[in-house]
C-alpha cells in the first residue's frame, strides 16, 4: 500500500525523564548510577546482540522506574510499552513508517472498505508539515452539506490536532457511529479559520465517477485507488463506450494514491503489453507489474497537480512513458517509495517503506514529481459561481481542446 506516519511516545518519555532526574533524592541517584555501572560492565562483556543490549534494557527499566516514582499521575504500563514500539519505528526517521496498536490497525483497515461511517472526504497529509488537506468531498455527503470544500485544511477534529499524529490515526477521530457529530476546525485560504459540526453517516464510497461530455469525450475522475477502483473503472469505461465515447479525460488532480495492485490493474486495461511499473528493495530485488496485449485505443488526457501522489504518479508516469496520452496541469507530488503493512501475531501492525518504484523508462520520481506535457495552473473562470461547473475549469477546457485537435 502507498501511503504515511509518526509516533512520539519514546521521545516524550525520554524528555520527561531528563527533567525529573534532577529532583531524585541523592541516595536514589547513587542506586541508579550503580545500576548503570553494572549494566555497562555487563554490556562490555557481552557480544553485540542487536538493539536490546543489557545496557539498553537497563536504561529502559530505569526510565520506567523514574516515571513510576516521580510522574504526577499513575501511568498504564501497557501505554508505555506501546510507546516503546512507536518510538522504535519513529526512530527510523521516515514519516511514512509507523507502528499501529491492534485498535489502530483495525481502524486503518476500515479505510480500505467501500462503506464507512464518517463524513465523506478524501484527505492527504504533508509528510513534512503534517498538515491535513481535504482533497475531495463526496457528492451528497455530510461534508458537502456542511460546506467543506476541497483545499480546506483540517486543523482539528474534536480535541485531536491534525499535525500531532499520523493520518490514519487522525482519520479515526473523524469517523464514528452514524448519527453522532464531529466538531471540525478548518482553515480556508482567503477566508481564515472556520468551525463546523458535521453529523456522521454511512458513506457509500465510490472511488471514481464518469460522465460524457460533448464531442464523444468521456470524463473519469478518480478520487483515490481503492480495492474496487479497477472494477469501477472497467464498468465506467463500458458505460461511456455505450454512450459513444471516442476519447477520454482521466482526472487525477488531488488524488493522494492508494493501492498499487489497483492502479496496475487499471493500467493493464489501458496499455499495450509491457511493464507498467517496477519496484526495487535495498537488496536489489525487483518486482515488475505488467500489462497484457489488450488495451484501450483512445486519445487520452491525464490531469495532474501537486496533490497527485503515489499511485497517481504511477499512472501518469506509465501513460507518459508509453506515449499513450497528454499530461496537463502542474508537477505532481513526488512520492516514489512503497510502503508495506505487516500484521503481527498480537493484532498490531507495522508500516514500513520497503522499496522504491520506477516508471517504465526507469525513472524514480521520489522528491522530483512528474512534469506535465502542458503546464497550466488551475484557474476557475467564474469566481462568482456558487456551484462548480466543469466548463469553467480551465484545465478541463484545455484537455477538451487537445482531444479535439487529435481527432
Amino acid at each position: 500500500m502507498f501511503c504515511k506516519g509518526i509516533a512520539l511516545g519514546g521521545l516524550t518519555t525520554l524528555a520527561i525523564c531528563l527533567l525529573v532526574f534532577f529532583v531524585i533524592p541523592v541516595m536514589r541517584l547513587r542506586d541508579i548510577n550503580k545500576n548503570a555501572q553494572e549494566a555497562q560492565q555487563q554490556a562490555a562483556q557481552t557480544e553485540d546482540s542487536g538493539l536490546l543490549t543489557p545496557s539498553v534494557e537497563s536504561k529502559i527499566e530505569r526510565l520506567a522506574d523514574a516515571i513510576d516514582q516521580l510522574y504526577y499521575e499513575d501511568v498504564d504500563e501497557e501505554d508505555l510499552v506501546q510507546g516503546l514500539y512507536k518510538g522504535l519505528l519513529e526512530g527510523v526517521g521516515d514519516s511514512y513508517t509507523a507502528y499501529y496498536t491492534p485498535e489502530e490497525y483495525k481502524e486503518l483497515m476500515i479505510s480500505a472498505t467501500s462503506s464507512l461511517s464518517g463524513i465523506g472526504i478524501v484527505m492527504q497529509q504533508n509528510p513534512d508539515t503534517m498538515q491535513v488537506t481535504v482533497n475531495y468531498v463526496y457528492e451528497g455527503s455530510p461534508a458537502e452539506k456542511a460546506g467543506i470544500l476541497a483545499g480546506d485544511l483540517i486543523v482539528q477534529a474534536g480535541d485531536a490536532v491534525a499535525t500531532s499524529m499520523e493520518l490514519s490515526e487522525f482519520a479515526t477521530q473523524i469517523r464514528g457511529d452514524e448519527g453522532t457529530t464531529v466538531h471540525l476546525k478548518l482553515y480556508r485560504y482567503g477566508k481564515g479559520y472556520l468551525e463546523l459540526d458535521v453529523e456522521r453517516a454511512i458513506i457509500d464510497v465510490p472511488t471514481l465517477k464518469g460522465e460524457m461530455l460533448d464531442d464523444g469525450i468521456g470524463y473519469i475522475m478518480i478520487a483515490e485507488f481503492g480495492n474496487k477502483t479497477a472494477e469501477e473503472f472497467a464498468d465506467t469505461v463500458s458505460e461511456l463506450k455505450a454512450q459513444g465515447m471516442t476519447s477520454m479525460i482521466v482526472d487525477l488532480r488531488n488524488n493522494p494514491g492508494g493501492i498499487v495492485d489497483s492502479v496496475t490493474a487499471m493500467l493493464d486495461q489501458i496499455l499495450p503489453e509491457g511493464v507498467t511499473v517496477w519496484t526495487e528493495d535495498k537488496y536489489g530485488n525487483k518486482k515488475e507489474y505488467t500489462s497484457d496485449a489488450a488495451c484501450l485505443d483512445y486519445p487520452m488526457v491525464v490531469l495532474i497537480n501537486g496533490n497527485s501522489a503515489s499511485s497517481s504518479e504511477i499512472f501518469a508516469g506509465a501513460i507518459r512513458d508509453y506515449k499513450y496520452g497528454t499530461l496537463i496541469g502542474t508537477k505532481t507530488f513526488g512520492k516514489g517509495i512503497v510502503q508495506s503493512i505487516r500484521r503481527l501475531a498480537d493484532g498490531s501492525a507495522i508500516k514500513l517503506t520497503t522499496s522504491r518504484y520506477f516508471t517504465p523508462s526507469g525513472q524514480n520520481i521520489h522528491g522530483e514529481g512528474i512534469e506535465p506535457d502542458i503546464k497550466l495552473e488551475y484557474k476557475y473562470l467564474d469566481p462568482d459561481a456558487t456551484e462548480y461547473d466543469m466548463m469553467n475549469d480551465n484545465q478541463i477546457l484545455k484537455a477538451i481542446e487537445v482531444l479535439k485537435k487529435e481527432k
Side-chain angles (χ1 to χ4, degrees), residues 207-272:
T207 57
L208 60 79
K209 66 177 182 180
E211 61 181 281
M212 281 295 298
L213 308 181
D214 293 335
D215 299 304
I217 298 173
Y219 170 83
I220 300 177
M221 187 284 302
I222 305 172
E224 59 184 329
F225 293 93
N227 286 325
K228 297 182 179 180
T229 307
E231 180 183 343
E232 292 173 1
F233 181 76
D235 291 343
T236 302
V237 168
S238 295
E239 292 170 4
L240 295 178
K241 276 184 181 179
Q243 297 176 49
M245 179 173 68
T246 56
S247 59
M248 180 188 303
I249 298 171
V250 178
D251 191 345
L252 298 180
R253 294 175 298 178
N254 300 317
N255 182 322
I259 302 171
V260 64
D261 287 343
S262 176
V263 66
T264 52
M266 284 181 57
L267 289 170
D268 183 19
Q269 297 174 41
I270 297 169
L271 295 176

Side-chain angles (χ1 to χ4, degrees), residues 138-345:
Y138 287 103
E139 187 175 345
S141 67
E144 183 187 57
K145 293 174 182 176
I148 296 174
L149 302 176
D152 287 347
L153 297 180
I154 303 183
V155 179
Q156 201 165 320
D159 294 327
V161 178
T163 55
S164 69
M165 60 189 69
E166 199 257 344
L167 182 60
S168 60
E169 183 181 356
F170 183 66
T172 66
Q173 307 299 314
I174 296 177
R175 291 195 296 268
D177 294 335
E178 181 182 10
T180 61
T181 299
V182 59
H183 183 76
L184 298 179
K185 184 176 182 180
L186 310 174
Y187 180 81
R188 183 173 298 166
Y189 292 104
K191 297 289 186 180
Y193 289 97
L194 306 170
E195 297 200 28
L196 301 171
D197 288 314
V198 187
E199 184 175 325
R200 301 178 177 101
I202 299 297
I203 308 296
D204 185 21
V205 184
T207 57
L208 60 79
K209 66 177 182 180
E211 61 181 281
M212 281 295 298
L213 308 181
D214 293 335
D215 299 304
I217 298 173
Y219 170 83
I220 300 177
M221 187 284 302
I222 305 172
E224 59 184 329
F225 293 93
N227 286 325
K228 297 182 179 180
T229 307
E231 180 183 343
E232 292 173 1
F233 181 76
D235 291 343
T236 302
V237 168
S238 295
E239 292 170 4
L240 295 178
K241 276 184 181 179
Q243 297 176 49
M245 179 173 68
T246 56
S247 59
M248 180 188 303
I249 298 171
V250 178
D251 191 345
L252 298 180
R253 294 175 298 178
N254 300 317
N255 182 322
I259 302 171
V260 64
D261 287 343
S262 176
V263 66
T264 52
M266 284 181 57
L267 289 170
D268 183 19
Q269 297 174 41
I270 297 169
L271 295 176
E273 186 173 4
V275 175
T276 56
V277 66
W278 51 278
T279 63
E280 184 176 50
D281 66 18
K282 68 179 180 181
Y283 303 106
N285 298 315
K286 294 183 179 180
K287 180 178 180 180
E288 292 184 343
Y289 296 83
T290 59
S291 171
D292 60 23
C295 57
L296 294 179
D297 190 16
Y298 290 120
M300 181 183 298
V301 166
V302 179
L303 300 179
I304 55 175
N305 65 10
N307 289 325
S308 304
S310 180
S311 292
S312 294
E313 294 171 292
I314 289 178
F315 188 101
I319 296 297
R320 177 200 64 185
D321 287 359
Y322 275 85
K323 297 181 172 27
Y324 226 70
T326 303
L327 307 184
I328 295 177
T330 54
K331 186 170 73 170
T332 62
F333 184 82
K335 182 176 183 287
I337 51 179
V338 181
Q339 284 72 47
S340 300
I341 294 180
R342 181 168 297 180
R343 184 179 182 274
L344 306 180

Side-chain angles (χ1 to χ4, degrees), residues 386-404:
T386 57
E387 294 183 359
Y388 174 79
D389 181 347
M390 283 198 294
M391 293 303 103
N392 285 318
D393 185 323
N394 70 321
Q395 292 174 331
I396 289 179
L397 293 178
K398 185 65 176 179
I400 292 171
E401 177 188 328
V402 169
L403 291 174
K404 285 183 176 180

Side-chain angles (χ1 to χ4, degrees), residues 22-35:
F22 290 106
V23 297
I24 296 176
V26 174
M27 293 302 294
R28 181 62 182 146
L29 281 172
R30 289 175 180 171
D31 290 341
I32 290 174
N33 288 333
K34 181 180 178 182
N35 290 339

Side-chain angles (χ1 to χ4, degrees), residues 98-115:
Y99 168 84
Y100 301 102
T101 67
E103 294 75 20
E104 290 168 346
Y105 176 67
K106 288 179 183 177
E107 291 290 340
L108 180 66
M109 290 299 98
I110 288 175
S111 64
T113 64
S114 60
S115 293

Side-chain angles (χ1 to χ4, degrees), residues 13 64 67-68 71 73-83:
T13 302
I67 293 171
D68 181 54
Y71 189 65
E73 289 182 342
D74 290 336
V75 177
D76 190 326
E77 286 189 359
E78 180 60 24
D79 290 341
L80 294 181
V81 171
Q82 297 298 331

